[in-house]
Amino acid sequence: QVQLVESGGGLVEVGGSLRLSCVYSGNVFVFLTMGWFRQAPGKQRELVATITTGGSTNYADSVKGRFTVSRDNAENTVYLQMNSLQSEDTAVYYCNTDRGALHWGQGTQVTVSS
C-alpha cells in the first residue's frame, strides 16, 4: 500500500516560518498532481496548495503569497514552505493527490501561537 509520510510541523510564533515535507512511497509520483491539505479543529479538511507534474502551482486565497509548494520527483517528495504564519494557519497538514485519492497519512501538526 502506498504511504504518505508528512513531517516538519511544530510550534511557531505568529510571523514565523516552517517547511513541511511529504514522502510518497509508490512508483508513480512523477505522474501525480499533488496537494497539501489542512484540517483545523472542528473544521473540514481544505485544500491549500497543488502542484502538477510539470510544476505548475495553485493556492487557496488564504495562503497565496505566503505559502510555496514545490516537489522533487527524484526523491518522491513534495514540500510546503510556509512563511508569515498566522494563528489561523494552525491545523494538521496532510499531503495527497489533489483529489485526495490516496490513503491519508498521519499528517503533521502546525501550531501558530500569538
Side-chain angles (χ1 to χ4, degrees), residues 32-37 47-53 55-60 63 68-71 78-80 96-100:
L32 300 175
T33 293
M34 296 299 294
W36 279 98
F37 300 75
L47 179 63
V48 297
T50 61
I51 184 165
T52 69
T53 57
S56 296
T57 58
N58 200 15
Y59 301 93
V63 307
T68 302
V69 59
S70 60
R71 66 191 295 160
V78 60
Y79 302 98
L80 187 67
N96 207 309
T97 69
D98 62 330
R99 297 173 184 266

Side-chain angles (χ1 to χ4, degrees), residues 82-102:
M82 306 187 297
N83 298 329
S84 301
L85 283 161
Q86 304 167 3
S87 56
E88 306 87 85
D89 297 318
T90 295
V92 179
Y93 284 72
Y94 304 86
C95 73
N96 207 309
T97 69
D98 62 330
R99 297 173 184 266
L102 302 174

Side-chain angles (χ1 to χ4, degrees), residues 4 8 15 24 28 46 57 62 66-67 75 78 89 98:
L4 296 165
Y24 165 89
V28 296
E46 63 170 338
T57 58
S62 58
R66 301 188 297 121
F67 290 11
E75 297 293 329
V78 60
D89 297 318
D98 62 330

